[in-house]
């Protein structure tokens, strides 16, 4: 998917909501556990109930991988369902992969070709030759970790290298990578005050922002500092939507929660 | 597996060789492609031919993931074969995962429980709460990326934070994590001169060293600076062993290459 198609969808739906599919067998409603594939049954119901209000879906790959081959099958069914029934949606494999050269190409093949996601999250620690192989894929996007929303982010990301914090160095350096226009960045909402400065470094890039809601980030602050002329934001909510109810009405309640967020977002567009 | 069991095996075999199973459908011998599961058939033959000379095996997860569900099946067969027929071998999932809290636990479940690897490689970018969930698993080891062997390593890893390079900060900071005694570190052989200083920061830890041979690192230099009283080294070779011949004799030639490396290593023990 081109960035332009994503922006068009955002303007049409008046939403920049990404729904995180952190689908956990221990948290899905009891009645789904009798299904042949409970993870997929849950995802399908969530997608059906929320797709009018969301522009992107982000399966958290760990939650599928933890179930081995069966989990991988649920993941494949989920992305196939998205691509078949809602090809307008932007899909993100939240995989946080990071390896070099030929190995990076293998990961890119896994997510861009085998599974046909529009984008994948990637860790920057190994540098240029761990990121550029992903950027070789046309109309696919690489979402690089910059400043994450967890406490451990302060271990290394905010350490300063000759006066420049590591996450800023990641933003600045990665902008020189080949096909850097296909880069997006993960920036945690719990650090919204950092967004102003981040926008000076990457004014045009899309930012994927986790941590609004359950993790304490404020939608208002993120919009205030993060929006650009092409919107430039995808705000993710996982638990706040998909586990808003644990009863048989889980999908309906998820739809309501997504609609609430969409309404708040519309005010900023 | 306990660290002590690994050290015992190293002393018995007089080897600290790790064989990297970067098994690529485009590089395995033609005659194997008619097999039902060519990746597993290749791995099984390599393991059978080399296990006397090696103490560890390291499947590169990307190479399996690129084939989706089928690749995941080949990976599972490979680790099951290792655990069943050679339980004394130390197994490494070279996955370079890195995510936080509950998600990290999911990845740990995938590799430590579902697949039953002894260890997994992890990226440090997200800090403490992305590493400690892996360290909760008893007798399992977390191999943290410190200084990698690729050119991109200089993008961020060697940048200095108030005079301390990032990879050193990773070594020093991670030593304070809960259950840090279960940590090992990836240190590239192409930067062997760094090993002397690394040993002052993590004198007791095992180092997994890729990049000897094909990538230009010297076994001699790595041993000179990297060995400690408990050996403390696992030196990986992938292409130099598994693709030494592309003919029907590939396993035999791989065995010879592994034996050569074992002989060179024995001199240092």
């Amino acid at each position: 998917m081109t960035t332009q198609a994503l922006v068009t969808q955002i303007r049409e739906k008046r939403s920049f909501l990404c729904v995180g599919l952190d689908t956990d067998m221990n948290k899905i409603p009891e009645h789904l556990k009798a299904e042949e594939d409970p993870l997929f049954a849950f995802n399908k119901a969530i997608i059906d109930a929320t797709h009018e209000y969301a522009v992107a879906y982000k399966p958290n790959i760990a939650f599928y991988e933890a179930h081995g081959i069966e989990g991988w099958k649920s993941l494949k069914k989920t992305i196939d369902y998205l691509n078949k029934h809602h090809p307008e949606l932007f899909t993100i494999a939240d995989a946080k992969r990071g390896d070099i050269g030929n190995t990076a190409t293998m990961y890119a093949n896994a997510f861009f070709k085998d599974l046909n996601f529009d984008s994948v999250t990637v860790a920057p620690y190994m540098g240029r030759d761990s990121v550029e192989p992903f950027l070789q894929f046309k109309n696919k996007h690489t979402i690089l970790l910059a400043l994450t929303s967890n406490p451990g982010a302060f271990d290394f990301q905010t350490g300063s290298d000759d006066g420049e914090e590591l996450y800023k160095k990641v933003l600045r350096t990665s902008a020189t990578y080949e096909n850097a226009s296909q880069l997006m960045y993960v920036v945690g909402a719990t650090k919204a005050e950092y967004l102003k400065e981040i926008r000076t470094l990457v004014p045009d890039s899309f930012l994927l922002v986790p941590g609004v809601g359950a993790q304490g980030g404020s939608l208002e602050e993120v919009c205030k500092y993060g929006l650009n002329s092409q919107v430039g934001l995808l705000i993710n909510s996982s638990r706040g939507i998909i586990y808003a109810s644990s009863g048989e009405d889980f999908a309906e309640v998820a739809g309501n929660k997504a609609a609430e967020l969409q309404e708040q977002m519309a005010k900023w567009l």
Side-chain angles (χ1 to χ4, degrees), chain A:
Chain A
M1 182 182 295
T2 64
T3 309
Q4 196 47 56
L6 172 59
V7 175
T8 301
Q9 191 198 170
I10 289 174
R11 298 218 184 274
E12 283 173 7
K13 286 185 175 165
R14 297 178 58 75
S15 167
F16 38 95
L17 176 63
C18 174
V19 177
L21 297 173
D22 297 22
T23 308
D24 185 340
M25 200 68 95
N26 297 316
K27 287 189 183 158
I28 65 176
E30 275 306 312
H31 73 282
L32 287 181
K33 294 182 184 169
E35 297 274 340
E36 194 195 328
D37 184 340
L39 297 184
F40 173 66
F42 179 84
N43 288 349
K44 180 177 176 302
I46 292 285
I47 294 163
D48 289 345
T50 58
H51 72 90
E52 286 176 54
Y53 314 110
V55 295
Y57 285 80
K58 180 174 76 64
N60 184 334
I61 305 305
F63 285 68
Y64 304 87
E65 212 168 278
H67 299 286
I69 291 159
E70 291 310 309
W72 209 256
K73 284 183 188 170
S74 304
L75 176 65
K76 178 137 181 67
K77 275 194 258 180
T78 301
I79 182 66
D80 286 351
Y81 185 79
L82 284 164
N83 282 333
K84 185 173 174 192
H85 296 278
H86 305 288
E88 78 286 2
L89 292 166
F90 186 71
T91 54
I92 303 168
D94 195 2
K96 299 189 175 71
R97 297 300 190 256
D99 210 317
I100 55 172
N102 196 23
T103 304
T105 301
M106 289 283 181
Y107 280 128
N109 280 335
F111 293 107
F112 292 154
K113 287 171 81 173
D114 182 61
L115 292 168
N116 198 16
F117 275 92
D118 293 313
S119 66
V120 61
T121 57
V122 168
Y125 192 75
M126 296 181 78
R128 181 184 292 266
D129 48 332
S130 71
V131 180
E132 286 186 338
F134 287 94
L135 296 171
Q136 298 304 309
F137 288 73
K138 217 183 156 189
N139 291 334
K140 301 287 187 179
H141 304 264
T142 303
I143 310 179
L144 205 59
L145 300 185
L147 185 61
T148 58
S149 57
N150 61 311
F154 296 105
D155 275 11
F156 309 117
Q157 296 168 27
T158 55
S160 74
D161 176 2
D162 300 328
E164 183 180 42
E165 290 100 321
L166 178 60
Y167 77 92
K168 287 188 194 167
K169 192 177 184 186
V170 166
L171 293 170
R172 192 177 47 77
T173 306
S174 63
T176 69
Y177 293 170
E178 198 182 345
N179 301 323
S181 64
Q182 287 160 239
L183 280 172
M184 300 180 174
Y185 297 96
V186 173
V187 178
T190 50
K191 302 184 180 61
E193 69 270 30
Y194 291 77
L195 274 167
K196 206 171 165 181
E197 235 177 317
I198 286 171
R199 270 295 174 221
T200 67
L201 287 165
V202 286
D204 302 323
S205 303
F206 258 85
L207 307 178
L208 171 63
V209 184
V212 167
Q215 289 178 53
S218 144
L219 177 68
E220 185 153 341
E221 285 210 357
V222 171
C223 291
K224 191 169 149 194
Y225 298 119
L227 285 168
N228 67 15
S229 65
Q230 294 292 295
V231 188
L233 284 180
L234 288 172
I235 292 189
N236 183 73
S237 176
S238 301
R239 284 169 283 173
I241 292 177
I242 70 176
Y243 301 129
S245 161
S246 58
E248 295 202 5
D249 63 349
F250 74 100
E252 191 190 334
V253 177
N256 295 341
K257 288 284 170 189
E260 274 173 34
L261 281 166
Q262 183 272 323
E263 240 176 79
Q264 292 172 42
M265 289 176 180
K267 292 179 195 155
W268 290 89
L269 293 177

